[in-house]
Amino acid sequence: MTASADELIARDTRDIAAAQKVRFFTQAMSGGRGSILFGPRGEEFIDLSATWTAAAIGYSDPRIQRAVHDCLGNCPGMGIGSIINEQTLLAAERLLELTDSVGYDTTNDDRRVYFGHSGSDANDIALRLCRRASEEHGGGRRVLAFEHSYHGGLGEALGLSGVQVEGGARPDSCVTFLPYPDAGHPHADLATPEEELAYCIESARQALGKGDVCCLIVEAILSDGGMIIPPLGFLSGLRELCDRFDVPMICDEVKVGLGRSGMLHAYQYEGIHPDIVTFGKALGGGLPISAIVGPAAILDCVPGSSLLTMGGNPICSAAAVCLLDILTKEGLAEQALRKGEEARRYCGESIRNGDAAVKNHIVEVRGRGLSMAIELSDGTQQDSERFAEKVCFRAHQLGVIVYYVGGHVLEITPALNIDEQTLRLGLSRVLQAIGDVSAGMVGDDDIAGFGGW
């Protein structure tokens, strides 16, 4: 790429739809390798987002390149809808091998895999097929989802995503949004984490008891809603209720799955087995592919009803097989667990021993594995959100890519194989950015036109 940054920005403004943009600063990139992105003038940026977790093993990984190149050189069609290809079958077999599902032994043929392009379509189709399966047996269409959740930007997943509906999207006509336990911001002035958990579980029990629910969909970590880590007992409590009322449980692992939480699947922290699991983002190692893993009784219920011409694309599937092999053979989940613990320890020590102004603006550093959050505060909710915008802007000036979720929470989700030195340097710059914003180094005019979420 030889164009200047100014030229690329001008072309972006002229040609790219605003509906596709979530911008925290103005930056064009010319390339990337590992956990580093490069600007047009060769400037380097430590990427602590990994493109919202899609770059699970960083950029330009040579193994992914080889897998894609080999498939491109002898491509057996472009989708699995009408022609079978072995690359996609291998991806399906690997996902079945790596995914547990309640009531289904991983060695039998009672489960199926559906392939799409993104987490949005995976969740959309999982929800639609649950509704169709329920209707075929005289059941209802109601979906139980959670406040501040995110399951996608299109189709039925859009109207079932709490953050989208809270932001103005039209809610699905048959959705009930349940409270997600958040000890830091409890519901109904509940006094203890135990009371907060009990309240959320009871809300789910009452909703399920109405008898019109076709499925419940939940994130094992509420990522875009503010990187909320649920208390132990929440997912297992939901699992018990879904069993009691015979309702399928969907676990959305699109953003926090495949090793990021420090386990292969984030739901494994409670030892549960969802009926359906959805994957996206990280699955393709940078290429667009998503997957649903679930029972044949649901995924086979309406043959040909969810066609995507390039669903099961062999090129993307080859990348997914490569990614899954790297993930398991190199123990990236274990690496994420260790690196996340060290990163949170480093942040805690730096905050305690550092500038008091930084300490006063940080509510909490939390996370599981390399799904991490730094929650910020600057008085009111509105002021805290503006403060977070400025921190992202200032971090970019310091050479770090970081975004916020939930309005005022910095999301730290680097590549799983980021080296410790790069991660620590990136975090030190984020903490510096917090101090710089506190000192008034970023004004309101600097972030005019940027809003992010």
Side-chain angles (χ1 to χ4, degrees), residues 8-195:
L8 292 171
I9 292 165
R11 288 161 61 186
D12 171 80
T13 302
R14 183 191 66 210
D15 298 336
I16 303 298
Q20 196 168 16
K21 300 177 185 179
V22 181
R23 298 289 165 79
F24 299 79
F25 39 76
T26 299
Q27 178 64 55
M29 297 296 180
S30 62
R33 185 165 297 278
S35 293
I36 306 297
L37 287 169
F38 304 110
R41 296 187 302 274
E43 60 271 46
E44 296 186 0
F45 298 86
I46 299 172
D47 186 5
L48 294 184
S49 167
T51 308
W52 300 101
T53 76
I57 54 173
Y59 303 101
S60 307
D61 187 280
R63 296 160 294 184
I64 299 290
Q65 290 182 54
R66 284 194 296 271
V68 170
H69 179 270
D70 290 347
C71 189
L72 274 170
N74 188 27
C75 194
M78 285 297 178
I80 205 165
S82 298
I83 298 176
I84 299 168
N85 74 79
E86 188 175 16
Q87 285 84 352
T88 302
L89 294 177
L90 288 170
E93 289 160 1
R94 290 292 280 130
L95 286 170
L96 288 168
E97 175 189 345
L98 295 172
T99 308
D100 294 329
S101 198
V102 65
Y104 296 93
D105 189 293
T106 56
T107 61
N108 68 24
D109 64 352
D110 287 330
R111 297 186 304 144
R112 302 286 186 266
V113 182
Y114 174 97
F115 287 103
H117 305 312
S118 71
S120 292
D121 61 42
N123 284 323
D124 172 64
I125 290 164
L127 293 162
R128 287 198 284 115
L129 291 178
C130 282
R131 282 177 160 166
R132 291 292 294 271
S134 176
E135 289 171 337
E136 285 191 353
H137 293 87
R141 290 178 50 82
R142 182 161 302 280
V143 173
L144 301 186
F146 288 85
E147 297 167 354
H148 318 314
S149 59
Y150 183 84
H151 302 296
L154 52 81
E156 296 189 21
L158 173 65
L160 296 162
S161 295
V163 294
Q164 297 279 36
V165 172
E166 292 152 17
R170 179 179 298 175
D172 186 275
S173 61
C174 289
V175 61
T176 295
F177 288 109
L178 301 173
Y180 196 99
D182 181 358
H185 307 278
H187 297 81
D189 298 321
L190 297 168
T192 68
E194 293 76 16
E195 289 175 328

Side-chain angles (χ1 to χ4, degrees), residues 334-347:
E334 293 81 358
Q335 287 190 40
L337 181 64
R338 175 178 54 79
K339 292 173 185 176
E341 290 174 347
E342 174 58 31
R344 289 187 289 280
R345 186 180 305 113
Y346 168 76
C347 287

Side-chain angles (χ1 to χ4, degrees), residues 131-358:
R131 282 177 160 166
R132 291 292 294 271
S134 176
E135 289 171 337
E136 285 191 353
H137 293 87
R141 290 178 50 82
R142 182 161 302 280
V143 173
L144 301 186
F146 288 85
E147 297 167 354
H148 318 314
S149 59
Y150 183 84
H151 302 296
L154 52 81
E156 296 189 21
L158 173 65
L160 296 162
S161 295
V163 294
Q164 297 279 36
V165 172
E166 292 152 17
R170 179 179 298 175
D172 186 275
S173 61
C174 289
V175 61
T176 295
F177 288 109
L178 301 173
Y180 196 99
D182 181 358
H185 307 278
H187 297 81
D189 298 321
L190 297 168
T192 68
E194 293 76 16
E195 289 175 328
E196 168 79 348
L197 173 60
Y199 169 77
C200 294
I201 293 293
E202 175 60 17
S203 297
R205 187 197 66 78
Q206 292 182 17
L208 285 162
K210 295 179 179 179
D212 63 346
V213 177
C214 70
C215 65
L216 177 149
I217 184 167
V218 64
E219 296 167 272
I221 297 173
L222 195 70
S223 53
D224 290 311
M227 197 62 80
I228 306 303
I229 312 298
L232 295 178
F234 176 59
L235 295 178
S236 56
L238 295 178
R239 175 71 272 179
E240 188 277 327
L241 288 173
C242 287
D243 287 341
R244 187 193 310 178
F245 291 98
D246 195 23
V247 168
M249 178 181 183
I250 304 172
C251 201
D252 179 348
E253 291 268 323
V254 170
K255 195 170 184 182
V256 300
L258 297 178
R260 178 156 297 282
S261 70
M263 289 193 176
L264 184 60
H265 311 299
Y267 62 75
Q268 290 177 312
Y269 272 89
E270 296 203 37
I272 68 161
H273 306 292
D275 299 286
I276 297 172
V277 186
T278 57
F279 298 101
K281 295 190 189 297
L283 179 59
L287 273 71
I289 184 172
S290 62
I292 310 167
V293 181
I298 292 175
L299 297 189
D300 284 353
C301 72
V302 192
S305 66
S306 302
L307 296 174
L308 294 172
T309 300
M310 295 181 70
N313 180 280
I315 301 165
C316 296
S317 296
V321 172
C322 183
L323 182 282
L324 293 172
D325 285 345
I326 293 168
L327 176 66
T328 53
K329 290 177 181 178
E330 297 189 2
L332 293 187
E334 293 81 358
Q335 287 190 40
L337 181 64
R338 175 178 54 79
K339 292 173 185 176
E341 290 174 347
E342 174 58 31
R344 289 187 289 280
R345 186 180 305 113
Y346 168 76
C347 287
E349 293 174 354
S350 298
I351 293 165
R352 284 191 299 272
N353 300 325
D355 188 343
V358 173

